[in-house]
Amino acid sequence: MQLEIGKIYDGKVKGITQYGAFVDIEGGGTGMVHISEIANTFVNEIRDHLTENQDVKVKVIGINEAGKVSLSIKKAVDNPPPRPKKNDSSRSKPNVWEPKKQTPMSELSFEDMLSRFKQNSEERMCDLKRSTDRKNGSRRK
C-alpha cells in the first residue's frame, strides 16, 4: 500500500529512541514520529507518552527522497477547538508590559518593606557595578 501525505493511518509503536518513536503502519511500512510530534505539550521523556506495541493513530506529514516517512501523532488526533480570535476593535490598549502596581507602604509588613529595600539596593548596586565596569573596560588595552 502506498502512503499518502496528509492521510491518517493506524499503527503500532515498534521502537522508542530518545528523539522519537518508530511506528509500523498497518498495510504499509514504517515511519518515525519525532519527539516534537508526539503531543501538544512539551515532551521531555517519550516513554511518559508512549509504550512499545501501543496502538496509535498517525498522520503522514512527509516522505523524503530516500523514502523515509515522517509521522505525527499530535496532528492525527482531534485538536482542541481554536481560541476565538480577538477583534482589533475589542482591544482597548496595545499588548505591552506594565510594571506591577506597588502596594502602599502602610499596607506592608516590616519584613516586606525590608525585602523590597534589599531588592532595590541590589539592583542599584548591580547597575552601578555594570556602569563602572564599562568605564574601566574602555580604558584598558
Side-chain angles (χ1 to χ4, degrees):
M1 175 174 129
Q2 186 70 21
L3 298 176
E4 294 179 39
I5 296 175
K7 276 195 140 183
I8 297 175
Y9 297 93
D10 290 319
K12 185 173 280 209
V13 178
K14 286 299 172 187
I16 297 175
T17 65
Q18 66 185 112
Y19 55 84
F22 290 93
V23 176
D24 278 348
I25 300 170
E26 290 180 10
T30 301
M32 194 196 80
V33 180
H34 189 265
I35 191 169
S36 64
E37 292 294 329
I38 289 177
N40 284 320
T41 61
F42 176 75
V43 177
N44 189 32
E45 180 60 44
I46 296 172
R47 293 184 191 278
D48 292 342
H49 297 268
L50 297 174
T51 59
E52 291 188 13
N53 295 321
Q54 178 181 348
D55 291 325
V56 292
K57 287 205 177 289
V58 291
K59 183 175 186 175
V60 178
I61 58 174
I63 303 173
N64 71 6
E65 299 85 31
K68 292 184 179 179
V69 180
S70 297
L71 304 171
S72 173
I73 293 174
K74 71 180 183 182
K75 291 179 182 170
V77 296
D78 293 331
N79 291 332
R83 294 180 191 165
K85 295 181 181 178
K86 293 182 179 179
N87 297 349
D88 290 333
S89 61
S90 69
R91 285 189 179 182
S92 59
K93 60 182 180 177
N95 187 12
V96 294
W97 178 85
E98 293 180 8
K100 291 181 184 175
K101 302 236 189 256
Q102 297 290 329
T103 55
M105 287 291 192
S106 60
E107 294 179 13
L108 294 176
S109 68
F110 176 76
E111 287 81 17
D112 292 335
M113 287 190 296
L114 184 62
S115 170
R116 185 183 287 178
F117 173 78
K118 282 179 58 179
Q119 182 181 6
N120 287 337
S121 296
E122 288 173 2
E123 289 172 358
R124 288 180 181 176
M125 289 299 293
C126 190
D127 289 343
L128 185 60
K129 184 174 179 356
R130 225 179 276 128
S131 174
T132 55
D133 286 348
R134 275 192 224 124
K135 289 178 184 175
N136 291 338
S138 63
R139 292 182 184 159
R140 293 182 181 168
K141 292 182 181 177

